[in-house]
Amino acid sequence: MTSLSNSSEVKLEAGSYGRTLIARLKPNEDIVESLERLCAQYGIGRAVVRSAVGSLIDGHLASGTGAGAITQVVEGPGVEIVGLFGEVACAVPGRDDTGTTELTAILSGTDSQVFAGRVVRGTNLSFITVEVTLQEWLANAEDPAGTV
């Protein structure tokens, strides 16, 4: 796994994959918050999104950073998820996992236009259903790889 910071530094992290979860999100559930709850329910501190299919009521994707950040609204209902990638992170009691959920999506609007960007928390509600496959990421206790 590679973690990027605001600088040009890249941190390499050694680890292995653990359990696989396959879940169906119900209508009107935010995908970020739902995936974090799912991970917390199963004691998973960090997970990688392996696949996702389904649709959203509306899509909200961010691009840029700081003052230049913009949010693209893809109006639905019925915005299709073409791809969903990234890492889900949640606090699990007794574990020292840290991080934040960072998801990127490719969405197809109702007019077949395609959009991509960072998923905005709290604004991407499942329309009918969204099926997601997550795989647990278990970082090694001591990471010998260091920083590049």
Side-chain angles (χ1 to χ4, degrees):
M1 305 252 339
T2 303
S3 175
L4 298 177
S5 64
N6 288 337
S7 70
S8 61
E9 215 173 71
V10 175
K11 180 185 174 208
L12 301 177
E13 181 177 73
S16 60
Y17 290 108
R19 298 171 286 173
T20 300
L21 296 176
I22 300 170
R24 174 176 287 156
L25 307 183
K26 295 177 184 175
N28 298 312
E29 290 187 358
D30 177 67
I31 58 176
V32 174
E33 295 166 355
S34 294
L35 295 179
E36 287 174 344
R37 277 193 307 275
L38 181 66
C39 285
Q41 178 182 347
Y42 287 94
I44 293 175
R46 291 167 60 196
V48 176
V49 176
R50 290 295 187 188
S51 68
V53 295
S55 59
L56 305 173
I57 295 172
D58 293 309
H60 295 79
L61 303 173
S63 61
T65 59
I70 61 167
T71 298
Q72 170 74 48
V73 177
V74 184
E75 293 186 12
V79 175
E80 292 296 324
I81 298 172
V82 176
L84 183 67
F85 316 94
E87 184 176 296
V88 178
C90 81
V92 175
R95 304 239 336 234
D96 191 25
D97 291 325
T98 59
T100 58
T101 298
E102 295 286 338
L103 298 176
T104 300
I106 301 170
L107 304 177
S108 176
T110 56
D111 58 358
S112 299
Q113 285 189 313
V114 177
F115 304 87
R118 291 184 316 276
V119 176
V120 178
R121 171 187 294 279
T123 60
N124 289 281
L125 305 179
S126 58
F127 182 42
I128 304 300
T129 62
V130 174
E131 288 81 25
V132 181
T133 302
L134 300 175
Q135 191 164 19
E136 182 178 30
W137 173 251
L138 301 166
N140 291 347
E142 292 187 29
D143 188 359
T147 301
V148 176

